[in-house]
Structure formats: C-alpha cells, structure tokens
Amino acid sequence: LEPWIMSTEEAPAVTVNGTGADEVCARAFVKDGNVRVVVASLGAKCDVTLTIPGQPGLKSRFGKIRDLGGGRYAFSADAIDSDVLE
C-alpha cells in the first residue's frame, strides 16, 4: 500500500454511518488513478456502511466488506479488524 499512502493525488472522501461508526476509521488513497480504501475497526462491535462517491465495484482484499452497489459497502466486526478495498 506504500505507493497509495505516499501519493499526493486527491482521493474521494469516505463517509462511515451505522452502529459503531465512531469506532471505525476509513480513508481512501489514489495512485495513478487507482483507488485503495483502508478500513479499520478500533475494537468495539460495529456494523457500518461506507460510502465512497464515484467508486462502485471495489473488491474486498480480505472478504470482510460487501459491495452494496452504487459506491456503498458494508463492513462489520466484533472487535479489532480491518480490510482493504481495491
């Protein structure tokens, strides 16, 4: 992920809504027009929807995020957990 994290390209904002949203951090990064979204649950149980404008069809690297269509994704965790959309 280093090329995305170090990139200065503008990335879309990620909105997090739902149960435990205050315990979930999510951020998008862009490198050469390709988007990666890092999502982390900080320890509390959560069931959230991530909204990433203009980014439909991203795939979960570890299978913990479901595509809801239209740039919306579902992420849930019982404790500390993470995933990457790419």
Side-chain angles (χ1 to χ4, degrees):
L1 291 172
E2 181 268 334
W4 283 269
I5 292 170
M6 298 303 292
S7 174
T8 59
E9 292 180 49
E10 187 173 340
V14 179
T15 304
V16 180
N17 292 301
T19 304
D22 56 337
E23 291 290 322
V24 175
C25 296
R27 181 166 175 201
F29 300 91
V30 178
K31 174 67 176 161
D32 299 329
N34 296 309
V35 174
R36 299 294 183 268
V37 181
V38 176
V39 181
S41 170
L42 304 178
K45 186 172 182 169
C46 67
D47 187 12
V48 299
T49 300
L50 310 167
T51 304
I52 310 156
Q55 298 301 317
L58 295 174
K59 305 292 184 212
S60 171
R61 181 179 288 185
F62 302 109
K64 298 174 184 174
I65 301 175
R66 292 180 293 114
D67 188 347
L68 301 174
R72 295 178 351 117
Y73 302 87
F75 173 75
S76 60
D78 291 327
I80 296 171
D81 214 339
S82 63
D83 203 346
V84 178
L85 286 168
E86 47 193 356

